[in-house]
Amino acid sequence: MVNDNPFDRRRFLAGSGAAGLLALVAACSGGAGTSTGVNAGPSGSLPSTPKRGGVLRAGSSPPPTAVDPVTMYDGTAIAIAQLVADYLIWLDRDYKLVPRLAEAWSAKDGGKIWSFTLREGVVFSDGTPLDAEVVKASFDRLLDPKSKSAALSAFDTVLAQGGVRVKDPRTVVFTLERPFSDFPYLVSAGNYNALILKKDYAGDFTAKPIGTGPFVLASYDPAKGATFTRNPRYWDRGKPYLDGVEVKFYADDQADLLALQGGDVDAQLLSIPALVNPLKGVGDITVDRVEGTGFTALTLRVDQAPFDRKEVRQAVAYALDRPGVNATTYDGVGALANDHLFAALFPAAPADIPQRAKDPAKVASLLAAAGVAKLSFPLTFDPPGKDYALIIQNQLKQVGIEVTLDQRTSADFYGGDQEKDTPWLFSPATLVRWAGRAVPSQFIIPMVKSGGVWNGSKYANPVLDAAATAYDGATTDTARKAQAEIIARTLYEDVPVIISVWGGSVRAFNGGFAGIQAHPSSYVDFTSVSRI
């Protein structure tokens, strides 16, 4: 499925990740993020004595589907669920693991067996105690194919049904299919569907919104918005500082932006860089920024002409003006990418692979070597990818490559049989947005390993497969970097997917509150937000 459902169309986070997915205990962390606050001082700072009370008003578009933690994949639904329910582990803005419902975890058998110790005294908002049986039920639910959960992609080849057991009331044990040193990320917020729900959860979350999170959902209208009150049973005593949160739904991004400018809301759940960056320095609006690992993939079918020749795929990659893509699509917030799946934020990312840049002469040479006199192909995408598609079409036209645009509705693009005919996985060339993940394996396993559930390129390379498995099982930085080098260079050479820019993330808000931050996966955590 998409968006892990993997995609990060502004509303659709991909994650298993969000995607959106996932430290040997606290040691295996993601990369460092950066923050830029405009006006009102550092956006992440809190007063020395946080002020209690107040209701934070946040704007967003309405969720396109039901708010169900098991199956949700859009940004608004994820934000609503994250205010109410909690994870074993949270991901901070640097993609570091932060204990939540689990206070400790450890591995044995080379990283194949993982034990998680639950925090003592946690109860759901209805007073039901949290124990290991509840946690087991939550993951059994996600691992059941009948649930149709986006989380399944994160667990693919790593954790199967029957792999979760209860050791004692406070200890849950996961037995994996193979060693996986980053497994804590797969049960963290990095796998955004991995929220812990009551044992008897059966759907209809907005009608029975019971969780262990900082707020309680008091009302929900799919057309107007949602209201939340402080959870008096929240396990982190003294928090949240706010009395509540009000989320207002707006029909489109411009209406959401006008509400922020006019003071009808205090913050946005999901901000678009190109829209909010011009507001820097205007009034008391702050735009917080953080680096990210999300991207839009130009996926090319390697099993059929014209992309069965790697020279053709390389030619397309050398036709792109990546700084231009960043400036036009991400308003300069992103970082240049290099057609492999290791963002600079990932500690193991190779630093010595030459940055691919626009080279018309090389494009011509590669196409000639492939025996292609004139290259043309259709590019399939859904509405959120239209601007990016137009950029690709224009840039390739400049080097003589003709691209015809094949826009589908989102329902059509991601619809059909996911194993044989869905357009996003079976078209010659597609644009798919992937939300940021905390570890590269969350991209590598579903996207480019042989038989990956979201392998739209139909790419298969035993060298990459072996290196990816070795990377997952590596327990030292040296071993991990060695395998990362193999994976990155293989993808750079074979180009089954073209990744031109790693997108950053922003969040805009007005003065009056402190502690509001951007998150690389656009997640929302208002637990520590305080009035100024």
Side-chain angles (χ1 to χ4, degrees):
M1 310 270 330
V2 282
N3 264 351
D4 257 11
N5 282 341
F7 347 84
D8 167 62
R9 341 171 200 174
R10 145 157 151 102
R11 307 299 177 191
F12 297 86
L13 299 177
S16 290
L21 299 164
L22 309 201
L24 289 175
V25 187
C28 291
S29 64
T34 61
S35 169
T36 302
V38 182
N39 302 337
S43 58
S45 62
L46 282 168
S48 56
T49 303
K51 294 183 179 180
R52 297 190 174 279
V55 174
L56 175 70
R57 302 165 301 164
S60 186
S61 61
T65 56
V67 179
D68 182 347
V70 176
T71 59
M72 65 186 183
Y73 57 86
D74 71 276
T76 303
I78 291 169
I80 289 171
Q82 288 176 341
L83 291 171
V84 175
D86 213 341
Y87 300 91
L88 292 180
I89 306 167
W90 180 250
L91 288 180
D92 71 7
R93 61 191 279 118
D94 294 323
Y95 275 153
K96 293 179 181 177
L97 298 171
V98 180
R100 283 281 181 91
L101 301 181
E103 62 181 13
W105 49 93
S106 61
K108 63 179 182 180
D109 194 16
K112 190 173 181 179
I113 299 176
W114 286 86
S115 297
F116 291 76
T117 302
L118 303 182
R119 190 178 299 277
E120 193 169 11
V122 177
V123 299
F124 285 87
S125 55
D126 67 349
T128 303
L130 173 79
D131 60 19
E133 290 285 355
V134 170
V135 174
K136 178 181 183 301
S138 288
F139 286 99
D140 285 346
R141 187 181 299 116
L142 296 177
L143 291 165
D144 183 353
K146 294 180 181 179
S147 74
K148 298 182 179 180
S149 176
L152 281 171
S153 69
F155 297 126
D156 186 41
T157 77
V158 178
L159 178 66
Q161 280 184 293
V164 188
R165 66 179 178 87
V166 172
K167 180 179 179 181
D168 58 53
R170 289 187 59 207
T171 309
V172 184
V173 179
F174 296 82
T175 301
L176 312 185
E177 299 291 288
R178 58 188 174 91
F180 199 91
S181 58
D182 276 336
F183 180 70
Y185 284 95
L186 301 189
V187 296
S188 77
N191 186 351
Y192 56 76
N193 296 106
L195 287 159
I196 304 304
L197 306 173
K198 288 189 65 176
K199 190 174 181 179
D200 61 355
Y201 177 74
D204 202 10
F205 184 74
T206 54
K208 298 178 181 179
I210 300 171
T212 59
F215 297 95
V216 176
L217 181 61
S219 68
Y220 179 77
D221 184 320
K224 296 181 179 180
T227 60
F228 304 80
T229 59
R230 186 178 186 275
N231 180 7
R233 293 189 170 105
Y234 186 50
W235 59 267
D236 193 353
R237 303 306 177 196
K239 293 183 179 180
Y241 302 125
L242 297 171
D243 286 336
V245 175
E246 179 183 0
V247 175
K248 298 182 178 182
F249 295 157
Y250 293 93
D252 54 48
D253 298 327
Q254 288 291 348
D256 189 3
L257 187 67
L258 288 173
L260 178 70
Q261 291 178 285
D264 292 331
V265 296
D266 305 300
Q268 292 184 315
L269 294 184
L270 305 165
S271 295
I272 299 177
L275 292 180
V276 301
N277 280 346
L279 299 181
K280 294 177 181 178
V282 177
D284 64 350
I285 292 178
T286 293
V287 180
D288 189 43
R289 168 181 172 176
V290 67
E291 295 179 39
T293 62
F295 58 89
T296 296
L298 171 52
T299 302
L300 307 174
R301 285 282 297 270
V302 306
D303 61 338
Q304 57 184 227
F307 299 123
D308 53 343
R309 293 289 300 270
K310 74 176 181 181
E311 294 88 352
V312 177
R313 304 192 298 270
Q314 290 173 349
V316 176
Y318 279 109
L320 295 179
D321 170 16
R322 295 163 197 252
V325 173
N326 186 21
T328 306
T329 306
Y330 296 100
D331 201 43
V333 170
L336 298 190
N338 211 16
D339 304 329
H340 59 71
L341 293 168
F342 288 87
L345 289 178
F346 295 138
D352 57 350
I353 300 177
Q355 174 62 54
R356 191 164 267 152
K358 183 177 180 178
D359 189 338
K362 196 169 187 67
V363 172
S365 174
L366 287 165
L367 291 178
V372 177
K374 177 69 174 179
L375 177 60
S376 62
F377 63 90
L379 179 60
T380 306
F381 57 95
D382 71 335
K386 182 178 180 179
D387 290 345
Y388 200 102
L390 289 169
I391 293 169
I392 297 296
Q393 183 187 48
N394 181 59
Q395 290 193 356
L396 267 59
K397 182 179 180 179
Q398 294 175 26
V399 295
I401 299 175
E402 181 181 345
V403 177
T404 56
L405 301 185
D406 175 25
Q407 179 173 315
R408 311 287 185 91
T409 65
S410 294
D412 181 29
F413 186 61
Y414 296 114
D417 189 323
Q418 299 294 309
E419 295 185 359
K420 63 182 182 182
D421 63 11
T422 182
W424 81 280
L425 292 178
F426 289 91
S427 300
T430 61
L431 285 179
V432 178
R433 290 187 177 184
W434 291 71
R437 265 72 159 173
V439 292
S441 294
Q442 293 176 264
F443 297 128
I444 295 167
I445 293 172
M447 283 185 69
V448 293
K449 281 193 76 172
S450 301
V453 293
W454 292 327
N455 188 334
S457 66
K458 311 311 171 193
Y459 177 70
N461 186 324
V463 173
L464 181 141
D465 290 348
T469 298
Y471 177 91
D472 291 338
T475 57
T476 68
D477 289 342
T478 299
R480 181 164 286 205
K481 287 182 178 180
Q483 300 305 323
E485 182 84 16
I486 295 171
I487 297 168
R489 288 191 177 276
T490 300
L491 291 174
Y492 182 85
E493 173 70 17
D494 292 348
V495 206
V497 293
I498 295 174
I499 305 168
S500 56
V501 178
W502 296 98
S505 179
V506 298
R507 178 162 286 132
F509 57 95
N510 288 320
F513 291 90
I516 300 173
Q517 295 182 326
H519 189 281
S521 290
S522 296
Y523 291 164
V524 171
D525 183 7
F526 293 155
T527 308
S528 298
V529 170
S530 164
R531 291 184 298 130
I532 293 176

